[in-house]
């Protein structure tokens, strides 16, 4: 075409307008037959392919929503974990403690309040005071009471300390007598005090009694008169932290040898007695202010700044200013908060690498899906784009128009997804959300234009080595990452997310995908040749199509395979981590409990009725009664005598328990030898390893109840369920021989069991069997309750939820990658099926053909992903520390677990096969019918 018509056609192709012809017969230079200007490009394209535009917007919406929600979910999880961790520490470890010497002669409640106001005013910004409020006052050290007739266990008299708490009257109620108050006591007269009713009853004090404090030779006697008794409104309230002896009498052990017990309690004095407190406390009197920090508003991202502010308050510029403003030169501030902040940050950093693996896998699969979607769009519009290029359009102009098309659909969807994430997951931080959403939005905008730019670029001469070089580079990067992680381990706490540990599984999946992409055509081609020798054609045709690419390609696309491998590998690795966490938590719980259930009587024994009722509970497979004693001496050791822990139990049942609870395996027949109860007979015994080097022939036990036993050592154990954390050396003895030799052993004090024992049922059995027993007489523990306690940390729950959400997202994107691959191959497949229909192919056979064509991809991805996931665990597992996720200290390392990997691989394979079958059943027949109607023009 030449002349003006060609020029106008070129202008229309480039989106311009034609030049209107002028000449005779026109009015004002306009021809009534002139062609109207073309419609806007973007509107025309969107109207022409509304379904494609809608699907592109949906893909962008989902991807942006996930990317925007991820940082917000992680922020919420880390904030909740920080607050829960600090809250579990209690106010004693999350408060600021300020002390100073009393101002002798100038002591007043007004001064105490003024100091408190100054201290509180310096807490913001960075941290604030908890709603429970500060506790302040003055205290004098406890002194022994010289009154005769007071309760004195072990002959040690009780001790009494004095406190003035400014707001104590708001937390107690008076039950007898009066409150200490005006008038002020005269010098030398007894100090009026109020005592808790429980403490008074315990040590034998009544209202009106004058208590005398024992003093040194040169000091006058100090007296206190009990003028009132009170009861705490709630003795578990945070207000009484550090002041538990104000609500009851505390039984304390004196640091003597042997330790001697005595009662210690505290009493309240009124403000009029502040100046006389030093008389009672001598040199050990101080003013104090306890300021609890509000942990419910702390944020993980602001934790360094908060820690810096607290450090300044404790021993920095803020502390110096407080000393000047309060006019207390000896003001001293202490707190455990800096240590707790360090622990909390270490926990977060330890869990961060494992928590980041799932999102990284989703990001990798989503990137592949965008590449596939861009390739599908570009292939469908290749002829249109090449026509525009041939008719004078520039590559830059075409790319701009494609970018405008994408902007109309992607930007509103991305904005809506970002706003939805901000609304559904409220958190103070938005920078990470906006950055992640912007990055995904940019990818969604540029994917199709970049693919079109590459498609329209001049073809370069074939370079087979380019692909090989790229694959070798990926292999080298993977080997370097794995070697580095194996050599140095996981990045230490405080170093942030370990990029190598996060990237290594993805790199392994990438290398596996590249390797399978080279092997799959050859393997599937061999299967196709083998199937071709059979009678049917469906298997041969399906496998032959799977062995080659569609649309004239020499081999299948590697992107769907990589997407599925990324999903299976990261899912299998993450599932192995979570399964390893669950197994380690269960083993730790069993080791702590000594089995699946434990019933013990601290300082007492277990009645037969109680042990029988516990053994009859549903779920109990086996149980054993155990006698334990930590106050036993073993004679004949290198040091002459050694204090040890003794465990006496039935050998057969205890051997089962020891094996199940992670202890040593031993043959119960070893403990069955010996003539029980005869004079001079030796009792067989298992000893701990620290005694194995001694001469065991002269070992003799002296029990606390006076019994003596000669031991015949028959084996060595490293741990025992009844004493998992034994402080001393342990010896295990058979119950029959010991009870025969020492009849005064009496009833057992511990009951251990294996099986699925419910904590509440065991507690109910205790209450039923011993209805009048005190609440603290028996101790009930189960492994299930311990597991729940270990897994109750929000940090662990957040990491688990993030993994499962990431796994669902990765599986969804991998499935979408397969569907995009099917859609990409749909035209060629429809043409083939149309030709075969004319030759007698039945519809059901067509569905089987599509399924056989797609099965190799799913099987290769499932098997390859399973192998890669197992390989990733084997290569990276020794560097993984699960302590933070388990909730207690466990050995570093992660073992390969078959079932979690297989479940992920087979689950995704079944999901893909189902999607393929559904796509074939729904759209296959429609495509064939359309193809038959249109005729074969290929």
């Amino acid at each position: 075409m030449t002349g003006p018509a060609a020029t106008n056609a070129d202008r229309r192709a480039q989106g311009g307008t034609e030049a209107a012809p002028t000449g005779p017969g026109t009015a004002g230079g306009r021809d009534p037959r002139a062609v109207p200007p073309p419609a806007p490009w973007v509107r025309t394209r969107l109207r022409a392919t509304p379904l494609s535009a809608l699907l592109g917007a949906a893909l962008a919406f989902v991807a942006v929503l996930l990317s925007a929600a991820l940082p917000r979910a992680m922020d919420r999880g880390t904030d909740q974990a920080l607050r829960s961790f600090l809250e579990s520490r209690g106010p004693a470890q999350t408060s600021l403690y300020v002390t100073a010497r009393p101002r002798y002669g100038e002591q007043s409640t007004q001064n105490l309040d003024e100091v408190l106001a100054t201290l509180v005013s310096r807490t913001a910004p960075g941290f604030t005071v908890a709603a429970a409020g500060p506790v302040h006052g003055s205290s004098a050290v406890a002194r022994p009471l010289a009154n005769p007739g007071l309760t004195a266990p072990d002959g040690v008299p009780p001790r009494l300390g004095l406190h003035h708490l400014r707001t104590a009257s708001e937390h107690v109620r008076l039950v007898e007598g009066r409150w200490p108050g005006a008038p002020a006591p005269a010098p030398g007269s007894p100090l009026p005090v109020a005592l808790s009713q429980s403490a008074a009853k315990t040590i034998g004090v009544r209202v009106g009694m004058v208590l005398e404090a024992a003093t040194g030779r040169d000091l006058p006697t100090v007296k206190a008169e009990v003028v009132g008794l009170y009861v705490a409104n709630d003795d578990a309230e945070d207000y009484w932290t550090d002041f538990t002896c104000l609500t009851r009498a505390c039984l304390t052990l004196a640091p003597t040898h042997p330790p001697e017990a005595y009662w210690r309690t505290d009493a309240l004095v009124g403000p009029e007695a502040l100046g006389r407190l030093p008389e009672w406390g001598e040199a050990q009197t101080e003013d104090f202010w306890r300021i609890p920090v509000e942990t419910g508003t702390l944020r993980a991202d602001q934790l360094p700044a908060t820690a810096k502010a607290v450090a300044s308050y404790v021993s920095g510029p803020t502390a110096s200013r407080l000393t000047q403003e309060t006019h207390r030169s000896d003001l001293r501030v202490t707190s455990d908060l800096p240590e707790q902040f360090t622990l909390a940050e270490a926990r977060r950093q330890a869990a961060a690498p494992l928590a980041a693996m799932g999102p990284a896998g989703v990001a990798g699969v989503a990137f592949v899906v965008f590449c596939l979607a861009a390739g599908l769009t570009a292939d469908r519009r290749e002829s249109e784009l090449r026509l525009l290029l041939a008719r004078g359009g520039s590559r830059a102009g075409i790319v701009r128009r494609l970018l405008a098309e994408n902007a109309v659909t992607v930007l509103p969807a991305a904005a809506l997804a970002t706003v939805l994430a901000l609304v559904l997951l409220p958190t103070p931080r938005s920078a990470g959300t906006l950055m992640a959403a912007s990055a995904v939005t940019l990818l969604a905008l540029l994917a199709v234009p970049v693919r079109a730019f590459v498609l329209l670029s001049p073809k370069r001469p074939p370079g087979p080595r380019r692909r090989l070089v790229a694959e070798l580079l990926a292999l080298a990067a993977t080997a370097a990452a794995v070697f580095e992680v194996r050599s140095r381990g996981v990045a230490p706490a405080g170093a942030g997310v370990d990029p190598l540990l996060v990237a290594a599984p993805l790199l392994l999946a990438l290398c596996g995908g590249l390797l399978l992409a080279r092997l799959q055509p050859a393997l599937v081609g061999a299967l196709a040749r083998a199937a071709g020798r059979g009678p049917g054609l469906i298997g041969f045709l399906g496998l032959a199509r799977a062995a080659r690419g569609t649309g004239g390609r020499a081999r299948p696309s590697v992107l769907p395979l990589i997407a599925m491998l990324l999903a299976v590998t990261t899912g299998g690795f993450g599932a192995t981590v979570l399964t390893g966490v669950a197994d380690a938590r269960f083993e730790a719980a069993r080791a702590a409990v000594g089995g699946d259930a434990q019933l013990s009587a601290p300082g007492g024994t277990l009645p037969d009725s109680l042990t029988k009722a516990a053994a009859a509970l549903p779920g109990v497979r086996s149980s054993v009664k155990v006698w334990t004693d930590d106050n036993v001496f073993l004679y004949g050791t290198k040091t002459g005598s050694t204090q040890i822990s003794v465990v006496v139990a039935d050998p057969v049942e205890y051997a089962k328990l020891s094996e199940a609870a992670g202890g040593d395996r031993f043959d119960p027949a070893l403990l069955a030898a010996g003539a029980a109860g005869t004079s001079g007979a030796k009792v067989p015994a298992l000893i701990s390893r620290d005694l194995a080097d001694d001469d065991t022939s002269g070992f003799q036990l002296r029990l606390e109840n006076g019994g003596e036993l000669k031991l015949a050592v028959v084996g060595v154990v490293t741990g025992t369920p009844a004493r998992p954390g034994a402080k001393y050396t342990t010896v295990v003895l058979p119950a029959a021989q010991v009870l025969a030799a020492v009849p005064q052993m009496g009833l057992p004090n511990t009951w251990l069991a294996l099986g699925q024992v419910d904590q509440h049922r065991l507690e109910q059995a205790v209450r039923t069997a011993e209805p009048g027993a005190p609440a603290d007489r028996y101790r009930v523990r189960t492994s299930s309750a311990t597991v729940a306690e270990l897994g109750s940390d929000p940090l662990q729950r957040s990491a688990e939820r993030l993994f499962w959400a990431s796994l669902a997202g990765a599986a969804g994107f991998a499935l979408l990658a397969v569907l995009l691959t099917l859609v990409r191959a749909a035209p060629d497949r429809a043409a083939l099926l149309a030709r075969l229909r004319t030759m007698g192919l039945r519809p059901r056979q067509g569905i089987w053909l599509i399924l056989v064509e797609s099965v190799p991809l799913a099987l290769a991805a499932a098997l390859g992903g399973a192998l890669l996931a197992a390989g990733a665990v084997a290569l990276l597992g020794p560097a993984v520390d699960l302590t933070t996720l388990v909730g207690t200290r466990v050995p570093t390392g992660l073992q390969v677990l078959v079932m979690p990997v297989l479940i992920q691989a087979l689950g995704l394979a079944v999901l893909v096969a189902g999607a393929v079958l559904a796509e074939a059943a729904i759209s296959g027949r429609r495509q064939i019918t359309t193809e038959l109607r249109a005729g074969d023009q290929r």
Side-chain angles (χ1 to χ4, degrees):
M1 184 183 300
T2 58
T7 303
N8 291 335
D10 290 343
R11 288 176 179 172
R12 285 195 301 270
Q14 300 180 45
T17 57
E18 291 186 16
T22 59
T26 64
R30 295 182 58 84
D31 188 349
R33 295 174 299 172
V35 178
W41 172 279
V42 174
R43 185 182 66 187
T44 304
R45 288 301 310 167
L46 293 180
R47 285 182 174 179
T49 56
L51 181 61
S52 177
L54 183 61
L55 292 177
L59 178 60
F61 176 82
V62 173
V64 173
L65 180 62
L66 291 177
S67 63
L70 174 63
R72 303 186 72 78
M74 295 182 69
D75 287 343
R76 288 164 60 89
T78 52
D79 286 348
Q80 185 180 5
L82 170 65
R83 295 162 185 171
S84 176
F85 172 75
L86 294 177
E87 183 180 356
S88 67
R89 294 312 198 195
Q93 300 188 50
T94 57
S95 297
L96 301 168
Y97 290 88
V98 185
T99 58
R101 290 193 303 271
R103 305 179 67 177
Y104 298 106
E106 301 179 8
Q107 189 78 326
S108 67
T109 57
Q110 181 181 359
N111 180 258
L112 293 175
D113 296 341
E114 290 174 351
V115 173
L116 175 64
T118 303
L119 295 174
V120 171
S121 66
R122 290 295 182 180
T123 57
F127 59 97
T128 57
V129 180
V135 181
H136 68 294
S138 188
S139 63
V141 71
R143 296 178 62 176
L145 299 177
N147 299 67
L150 299 181
T151 306
D154 296 337
V156 180
R159 290 175 174 264
L160 178 67
L162 300 184
H163 295 275
H164 171 67
L165 299 183
R166 292 290 296 131
T167 57
S169 60
E170 301 174 6
H171 301 271
V172 298
R173 67 181 186 275
L174 190 67
V175 294
E176 186 178 351
R178 64 177 179 85
W179 282 112
S189 62
L191 290 170
V193 300
L195 198 64
S196 73
Q197 188 180 46
S198 173
K201 185 181 300 183
T202 300
I203 65 175
V205 174
R206 63 185 181 277
V207 175
M209 189 172 181
V210 177
L211 304 176
E212 297 184 2
T215 59
R217 294 180 180 178
D218 301 331
L219 295 175
T221 301
V222 184
K223 299 178 181 180
E225 180 184 0
V226 180
V227 299
L229 301 180
Y230 62 84
V231 175
N233 296 334
D234 181 9
D235 54 6
E237 189 180 4
D238 290 347
Y239 182 86
W240 301 112
T241 301
D242 304 320
F243 303 106
T244 55
C245 294
L246 276 171
T247 61
R248 58 181 174 83
C250 306
L251 188 63
T252 311
L253 293 178
T256 58
H257 187 75
E260 295 178 335
Y262 67 91
W263 290 108
R264 181 264 169 90
T265 188
D266 295 328
L268 292 172
V269 302
E272 75 287 345
L274 274 177
R276 294 190 58 188
L277 277 181
E279 297 178 15
W280 185 275
E282 299 176 357
Q284 301 184 47
T285 306
E286 66 180 10
D287 297 338
F288 62 88
W289 299 264
R290 191 187 78 208
I291 305 175
V293 174
E294 178 59 61
T295 60
T297 59
L298 296 181
R299 289 165 43 181
D301 64 317
Q302 295 180 349
L303 192 59
T306 303
K308 184 178 180 181
V310 171
S312 175
Y313 196 99
V314 173
S315 59
T318 305
S320 300
R321 286 194 296 268
L322 289 174
T323 301
Q324 299 173 1
E325 294 174 3
T326 59
H327 306 290
R328 300 264 187 150
S329 59
D330 59 336
L331 196 73
R332 190 168 71 95
V333 185
T334 60
S335 178
D336 290 335
L337 273 173
E339 291 78 9
Q340 300 306 319
F341 287 162
T342 302
L343 288 175
E345 183 65 16
R347 293 172 71 253
R348 186 185 72 83
Q349 297 289 357
L354 300 178
M357 288 183 181
V362 176
V365 180
F367 179 80
V368 173
V369 168
F370 274 111
C371 293
L372 276 172
L376 173 63
T377 303
D379 288 350
R380 286 290 179 89
R381 299 180 60 179
E382 181 178 1
S383 58
E384 171 196 346
L385 298 179
R386 291 194 179 280
L387 177 62
L388 290 175
L389 186 65
R391 300 189 68 179
S394 64
R395 283 188 299 166
I398 295 173
V399 167
R400 284 196 299 271
R401 294 184 181 280
L402 293 177
L403 187 61
E405 288 182 37
N406 274 4
V408 172
T409 57
V410 169
L411 291 182
L416 179 60
T418 305
V419 172
L420 191 61
L422 293 173
V423 173
L424 294 180
L425 297 172
T427 181
R429 300 178 289 281
S430 300
T433 299
L434 296 178
M435 289 180 61
S438 300
V440 175
T441 302
L442 189 63
L443 175 63
L445 278 174
L446 298 180
V448 173
V450 169
R451 173 60 181 163
F453 185 83
V454 174
L455 187 65
L456 298 179
S457 298
K459 292 186 177 181
R460 292 182 297 178
R465 293 185 179 180
R466 287 198 297 268
R467 178 181 176 183
L468 179 61
V469 170
E471 292 174 349
L472 290 177
L473 288 176
L475 179 62
T478 304
V482 172
F483 176 78
E484 183 67 16
V485 173
R486 293 270 300 186
S487 300
R488 64 164 173 78
V490 182
V497 176
D498 190 344
L500 288 181
L501 184 63
V502 175
L506 304 182
L507 291 174
L508 285 171
L510 176 61
C511 289
L514 296 176
L515 179 61
L516 279 179
R518 286 188 172 272
L519 296 178
Q520 183 184 357
L523 295 177
V524 178
L527 291 176
R529 288 190 295 272
R533 301 187 188 97
L537 291 177
I538 300 300
F540 169 73
L541 288 176
L543 293 174
R545 284 180 57 81
R548 62 179 178 83
T550 58
R553 294 179 179 82
R555 59 175 65 89
S557 175
V558 70
L559 291 179
L561 189 60
I562 291 179
M564 295 187 64
L565 284 176
L566 284 173
V568 175
T569 302
T570 55
F573 189 89
T576 303
V577 169
L578 294 185
T579 305
V581 167
D583 293 344
R585 194 177 290 160
F586 179 70
E587 293 175 2
R590 266 192 165 181
V593 174
D596 290 323
Q598 179 192 102
L599 180 59
S600 59
T605 59
L606 297 174
D608 287 337
S609 60
L610 182 55
T611 55
K612 290 180 180 178
L617 287 175
V620 176
R621 296 198 310 269
S622 63
S623 63
V624 58
K625 293 183 285 188
V626 182
W627 290 257
T628 61
D629 194 350
D630 295 331
N631 194 24
V632 178
F633 285 88
L634 177 65
Y635 295 90
T637 61
K638 292 179 180 179
T639 59
S641 64
T642 304
Q643 187 174 1
I644 65 170
S645 297
V646 168
V647 176
V648 180
D650 176 74
V652 177
E653 296 298 332
Y654 197 72
K656 296 179 184 178
L657 184 74
S658 179
E659 181 178 356
D664 283 351
R665 299 180 180 179
F666 63 88
D667 186 2
L670 295 174
L671 295 177
T678 59
S679 177
K682 291 188 176 182
V683 177
L686 301 173
I687 61 174
S688 53
R689 291 194 179 277
D690 54 345
L691 294 175
D693 295 334
D694 289 5
D695 182 8
T696 61
S697 59
F699 278 2
Q700 183 174 353
L701 279 181
R702 180 172 298 172
L703 303 176
E704 189 176 12
N705 56 21
E708 293 186 1
L709 296 172
K710 294 181 180 179
L711 303 185
V713 177
V714 295
V716 177
V717 292
T718 56
T720 181
R723 282 291 183 266
K727 184 178 181 181
Y728 305 111
T729 301
T730 306
V731 173
V732 180
L733 303 175
Q737 289 89 327
V738 173
L739 292 177
V742 187
Q744 62 268 34
M745 284 291 292
L747 296 173
N749 57 6
T750 305
W751 175 85
L752 300 172
L754 294 176
Q756 297 180 352
V757 186
D758 184 72
Q759 174 96 8
H760 299 293
R761 285 189 174 182
L762 186 54
E763 292 174 350
Q764 181 62 35
V766 172
R767 288 191 293 267
T768 303
E770 295 289 321
D776 58 348
R777 181 173 179 178
Y778 301 111
R779 184 184 183 190
V780 177
R781 298 182 69 191
T782 60
S783 60
S784 58
T786 306
V787 167
E789 182 181 355
L790 290 175
S792 62
D793 190 346
L795 185 67
Q796 304 165 0
R797 296 199 302 269
S798 175
E800 293 176 3
R801 287 195 301 266
L802 185 62
F803 164 73
W804 290 117
S806 300
L807 179 61
F813 278 117
L815 185 61
L816 184 57
V818 174
L819 293 178
L820 288 174
T821 304
L822 293 174
V823 172
R824 196 172 187 178
D828 289 342
R829 185 174 64 241
L832 174 65
L833 292 177
R835 297 189 193 104
L836 293 176
R837 282 289 299 276
T838 60
M839 292 184 283
L841 182 74
R842 293 191 298 272
R844 181 175 299 179
Q845 290 177 319
I847 294 176
W848 277 108
L849 177 62
I850 298 173
L851 191 61
V852 171
E853 178 185 344
S854 305
V855 159
L857 174 66
L859 289 180
L863 296 178
L867 292 176
L868 288 172
V873 174
L875 292 173
L876 305 175
V880 176
D881 187 1
L882 302 177
T883 295
T884 302
L885 296 181
V886 172
T888 186
R889 188 66 193 174
V890 295
T892 301
L894 183 65
Q895 297 180 349
V896 178
L897 302 175
V898 177
M899 288 306 299
V901 175
L902 283 181
I903 289 174
Q904 303 299 318
L906 296 180
L908 188 59
V910 171
L911 188 64
V912 169
V916 170
L917 190 61
E919 192 273 343
I922 295 174
S923 61
R925 185 174 303 177
R926 183 187 309 158
Q927 292 173 351
I928 295 172
T929 303
T930 303
E931 193 73 25
L932 289 174
R933 288 176 178 175
D936 189 1
Q937 300 175 359
R938 293 170 175 80

